[in-house]
Amino acid sequence: QILMLVEIVLVLLLSIFEKTNSFNVGKANFLTRGHQSTIATRYLAMEFAWKQVKKQSEEKMVKSIENIQSQFNTLRAGGANPSILDRVFVDYFGSPTPLSQVARVAASGSQQIVVEPFDRTICKDIEKAISMSGLNLTPNSDGSIIRINIPPLTEERRKELAKQAKSISEEGKVAVRNVRRDVVEKIKAAEKDKAVSKDDSKGFQDDLQKLTDDFIKKLDTLLKAKEKNLMIGS
């Protein structure tokens, strides 16, 4: 909504400036002071709009990084870490609900996680959700509390988790690139409508590509750290 508002404001500003000052870049052979003032105002309006668009794009990319880091936390390197269950969703009254919203999850010692449902009637649903989560965990329930023993990681399991981490990282890269793609489409549309010049369009796209590359590098750094943690962590 913010992006749309900024775009609308920019188009209106440019329209007003051009109509008021009879500005025509294609036909102008020379610039009067009035035209120079119009160009300056146009440039400032465009720069302001671009900064807002870029800021919003960066915020979306940051959220993508945070989401990937959250998913990385669910890949255990060893020991009882309650966050490994963050990706578990329970069918609660027909709605997929995060486990943390229907139960208390805590570590009990270094090799066991305890899940205590707020509603004991969904114990079996929680067991099923954990078993089908792909985390390779076996829940044991006494009807009111679910215990999950965390076995030491084998070399094969470590490699499997490292593969999962790489797959998660790729999802993050796709999300970041999608942010770039959406904005580039809007820039090109603005260029087509003569709202921005060809040079400005290229400048904005180059600026956005640099931002995208920076976030891709951040994802690569996060992946390398996670792979190292998974392969040598205890």
Side-chain angles (χ1 to χ4, degrees), residues 7-185:
E7 289 176 342
I8 292 171
V9 170
L10 175 58
V11 171
L12 287 175
L13 283 172
L14 297 181
S15 176
I16 292 171
F17 295 147
E18 290 177 356
K19 288 179 180 178
T20 302
N21 295 280
S22 300
F23 183 67
N24 189 317
V25 176
K27 297 179 181 178
N29 295 317
F30 133 150
L31 300 176
T32 62
R33 289 183 181 179
H35 285 151
Q36 291 174 347
S37 175
T38 297
I39 291 176
T41 307
R42 176 189 180 111
Y43 176 78
L44 289 175
M46 191 178 298
E47 280 295 298
F48 172 78
W50 172 241
K51 285 179 181 179
Q52 297 303 308
V53 171
K54 183 180 177 182
K55 180 182 177 182
Q56 188 180 55
S57 299
E58 186 171 5
E59 288 172 350
K60 288 181 179 179
M61 291 182 184
V62 167
K63 286 182 180 179
S64 295
I65 292 279
E66 291 174 346
N67 179 51
I68 295 308
Q69 183 61 70
S70 177
Q71 291 191 60
F72 276 173
N73 290 341
T74 68
L75 301 179
R76 62 188 177 88
N81 183 355
S83 66
I84 67 174
L85 298 179
D86 286 351
R87 284 191 292 165
V88 175
F89 284 76
V90 181
D91 184 2
Y92 190 56
F93 289 105
S95 176
T97 306
L99 177 60
S100 60
Q101 293 184 16
V102 296
R104 185 181 71 86
V105 183
S108 177
S110 61
Q111 297 297 317
Q112 188 179 81
I113 294 175
V114 174
V115 179
E116 187 175 357
F118 301 138
D119 179 356
R120 294 183 182 181
T121 64
I122 64 169
C123 236
K124 289 192 179 296
D125 293 323
I126 292 176
E127 284 185 75
K128 181 179 178 181
I130 295 172
S131 297
M132 298 178 65
S133 65
L135 295 173
N136 200 33
L137 299 173
T138 303
N140 297 294
S141 172
D142 62 7
S144 60
I145 294 178
I146 299 169
R147 292 180 173 80
I148 305 168
N149 293 320
I150 308 297
L153 286 178
T154 63
E155 185 70 15
E156 182 179 355
R157 180 58 178 163
R158 289 178 187 274
K159 289 180 180 179
E160 184 182 335
L161 289 173
K163 261 189 197 179
Q164 288 184 31
K166 186 173 182 179
S167 178
I168 290 172
S169 175
E170 288 302 317
E171 290 175 6
K173 289 181 180 180
V174 170
V176 168
R177 287 169 180 148
N178 282 345
V179 173
R180 175 190 173 279
R181 180 202 62 201
D182 292 344
V183 177
V184 166
E185 287 178 356

